[in-house]
Each structure stands twice: as C-alpha cells, then as structure tokens.
Amino acid sequence: MHKITIAIDGYSSCGKSTLAKALAQELNYKYIDTGAMYRAVAWYALKNGIIDQDQNINNNLLLANLNKIDVSFEFNQHTQQSDVYLNGHNIESNIRTMEVSSIVSKISSIKEVREKMVALQRIMGEGKGFILDGRDIGTHVFPKAELKLFMTANTDIRAKRRQDEYFSKQQYFSLEEVKQSLIDRDNEDINRQENPLIQAQDAVVIDNSDISREQQLAFVLKLIEDLKLISE
Ligand code: DC
C-alpha cells in the first residue's frame, strides 16, 4: 500500500488530535502529537525553576538546559495510544492541565525550542504513513505533506469541549476562563515570529463546529479517496 504524510494544523481545541487518532487507526498510520512535545518542554520548565510565579520564563536557563530535555513517545498497550515521555518518565497525565496550557505557547515561541522540536519531528515522521498534528506541520515541518488539513471551530464550542475535558480529569474551570485561555493561546500562536500558526495555501479547511467526529472522519476518508492520495 502506498502511504502518505498527513499534516493537521489549526487552532487550539479544534479536535485535531481526535481526528488524527481516528485517521491513524483507520489507515493504520502512526500519529505524532507535536503539541505534546512542546507541553513536555513546558512541564520541564515548570518543574525546574525556569518559570517564576508571574509566568516569566528564564530564557537563558531554559537554553542552558535544552540539551538535558529528551522528549520521546512510547506506545501504551492499555490505552492503545502513544504516551509522551520526558527523560524516560511518562508525563502524559501531567501535561494536559491549565498550568501547562497557560505557559506552553510562550515556551513554543522560543526559537531554539522550536528548532529542537522540529528537528525531532522530522526524524520521527521520516518516511510515510505518519499523521502529525500541530500548528506548523503543513507550512514548516512537512511542507510537502500530500494531505494538509486546517481545522477550525467556533470559539464557544471549542471552550465547552475543552472544559468538558478538564472536568473529566477533575479540573474545574469556568467556561469564561477556559475560553480566555484558548483565545490567548491562539493569539500567541498566530502572532509569534517563529513558524506562526497560518493556514497552508494548499490546506483543506475543516470547520467542525456543527459536525460529529464520525462525519469529520468520513469527510477526510472520502477526500483521500477522491484525491486518489492512497493507491493499492
Ligand atoms: O496542540 P496543543 O494544544 O497540545 O499544543 C500546545 C501548544 O504548543 C500550542 O499552544 C502551540 C504549541 N505548538 C506549536 O507551536 N507548534 C506545534 N507544531 C504544536 C504545538
């Protein structure tokens, strides 16, 4: 079977990873969650005194520690998904918190951090049969990806989905707080200097405000078929 690279970019909490995981399962592809990699760096910074109480980042200290930060993925047989590891420790359950979310865009805007993560992503996704989601996959990491998707959804709907996700992990925030955090993160991702979030010219836009996960998956599978991207 001829395999391709699929790049999924878009705003925060648009269901990129939900779509990526479903596609990976359907096509028997490997999924790389690049946001988890930046979250792992943010977690390291939080745990190593690199960020103060006012969320100021000590850039020099972070850069001095960059070569001590080893991010990797390992398949979890129990959840049937890949977990992110920081220096050999599984930190999957630590990185999807408001604490990390509120600092990760700042961390990911640092040039050296991006260079390191992008280099790793290119190694991890080398060859075909990979689905990567993030902000700069189709524009920068794999600009030659055969299929590029750009995801968006109504901000209120995104905030509600993210709030439900926090609730399921016993993290309680008001809808307003969650919404503001999403808006702030989008703004930082769009306005940063290094590889900002922009839609690739050849990306197909998916607004999933009013469609189900199943409809979204069916739409992309049909797209792949119509574009004859995967041949036997
Ligand atoms: O996809 P996510 O919400 O887990 O990503 C966390 C943050 O990481 C996001 O706010 C921006 C950053 N990010 C990035 O800059 N580039 C990527 N390819 C993926 C994520």
Side-chain angles (χ1 to χ4, degrees), residues 34-35 38-39 104-105 108 114 134-137 185 189 192:
T34 66
Y38 292 100
R39 286 175 181 270
V104 64
S105 285
S108 72
R114 296 204 73 79
R135 305 294 187 285
D136 60 343
I137 308 302
R185 214 138 62 83
D189 294 340
R192 67 170 176 242

Side-chain angles (χ1 to χ4, degrees), residues 198-211:
I198 36 167
Q199 185 190 319
Q201 277 186 344
D202 49 350
V204 176
V205 178
I206 300 178
D207 181 335
N208 67 10
S209 305
D210 300 311
I211 57 171

Side-chain angles (χ1 to χ4, degrees), residues 63-75:
L63 297 191
N65 277 269
L66 213 46
N67 62 1
K68 295 186 195 149
I69 302 176
D70 175 43
V71 179
S72 59
F73 289 98
E74 238 175 75
F75 193 70

Side-chain angles (χ1 to χ4, degrees), residues 29-45:
Y29 276 31
K30 291 204 174 71
Y31 165 51
I32 301 174
D33 176 352
T34 66
M37 299 169 73
Y38 292 100
R39 286 175 181 270
V41 179
W43 176 250
Y44 179 95

Side-chain angles (χ1 to χ4, degrees), residues 42-57:
W43 176 250
Y44 179 95
L46 281 164
K47 293 296 139 192
N48 287 277
I50 292 170
I51 299 172
D52 71 17
Q53 285 183 337
D54 298 323
Q55 298 206 321
N56 297 307
I57 301 169

